[in-house]
Amino acid sequence: MSAQAGRQPDAEVHPGSAVHLGNPVTVDRYTAGARINHWITASCLVLLALSGLALFHPSLFFLTGLFGGGETTRILHPWIGVVLFVSFIGLFVRFWHLNLWRGADTTWIARLRKVLGNRDHEDPELVEIGKYNAGQKIVFWGMSILIIVLIASGFVIWDQYFSQYTNITQKRVAVLVHAIAAIIIICVWIVHVYAAIWVRGTIGAMTRGQVTGGWAWRHHRKWLKDLVTGRPSS
């Protein structure tokens, strides 16, 4: 049997989440649609990083071999960027309201040393976390801003379709902005992947869609309580 969460405006829950009794207790964290959306976005990010680095510096030009050569890489890179943007819009629509900043997030950041030292369970306030902790929210909003910067600057330097709308100075600025944003988003992506590996059981949430009740209680206790009670916990 399962306990389905009631959809409340301020709840740290999401449609499709449910708690299933058993041994062990399992909790639905992501729907199949959300997982597909996530992996399309992740795949695009990897492809863009590889193709972008290939075009960034001559020493990395060998990476164009992964895409069929330099000309093909130059053609594919912006189109993959468009797919990334559209895919991320799907993620944004799904999860933006779950990533709004709350008082508990400020506390989480202030006591980050305990979190990194794996001692957050010693502090009751650090375990009362909704579906996403402050670190995950920073990654979400960071990705959102950076993807907008990348798509906007990318259009400015996409000469095949937009050369007549911009001048040389604008293109030079856009190239610099695009490169800086790309480096930052690669770093954010690395942190995101590392954190997913570091917190045991996290990757399973995005591959199978479920976590154990113990995992939810250990890392996102408020979210679990909201699921069980069907209303936001105080």
Side-chain angles (χ1 to χ4, degrees), residues 11 33 42 92 125 147 149 157 170 173:
F92 188 87
E125 290 189 74
I147 287 174
V149 172
I157 58 179
Q170 291 170 334
V173 172

Side-chain angles (χ1 to χ4, degrees), residues 72-162:
T72 307
T73 303
R74 191 172 182 84
I75 293 171
L76 290 176
H77 182 79
W79 283 111
I80 297 172
V82 171
V83 175
L84 168 70
F85 181 70
V86 173
S87 180
F88 191 80
I89 287 175
L91 287 179
F92 188 87
V93 170
R94 290 175 187 274
F95 300 122
W96 72 269
H97 62 291
L98 297 174
N99 283 277
L100 295 176
W101 199 263
R102 302 179 186 276
D105 299 317
T106 302
T107 301
W108 194 92
I109 289 293
R111 303 175 189 178
L112 185 59
R113 182 173 296 182
K114 281 189 176 182
V115 177
L116 296 178
N118 203 31
R119 294 185 294 110
D120 49 326
H121 61 281
E122 300 172 2
D123 191 329
E125 290 189 74
L126 290 180
V127 296
E128 289 295 331
I129 299 296
K131 186 164 186 175
Y132 299 114
N133 61 42
Q136 291 169 311
K137 291 180 180 182
I138 290 172
V139 168
F140 177 85
W141 291 111
M143 283 283 190
S144 300
I145 293 170
L146 288 166
I147 287 174
I148 291 173
V149 172
L150 286 167
I151 194 72
S153 57
F155 281 143
V156 175
I157 58 179
W158 198 355
D159 284 346
Q160 184 177 0
Y161 298 106
F162 304 102

Side-chain angles (χ1 to χ4, degrees), residues 10-23:
D10 298 322
E12 292 278 355
V13 298
H14 192 266
S17 298
V19 178
H20 303 278
L21 303 182
N23 187 21

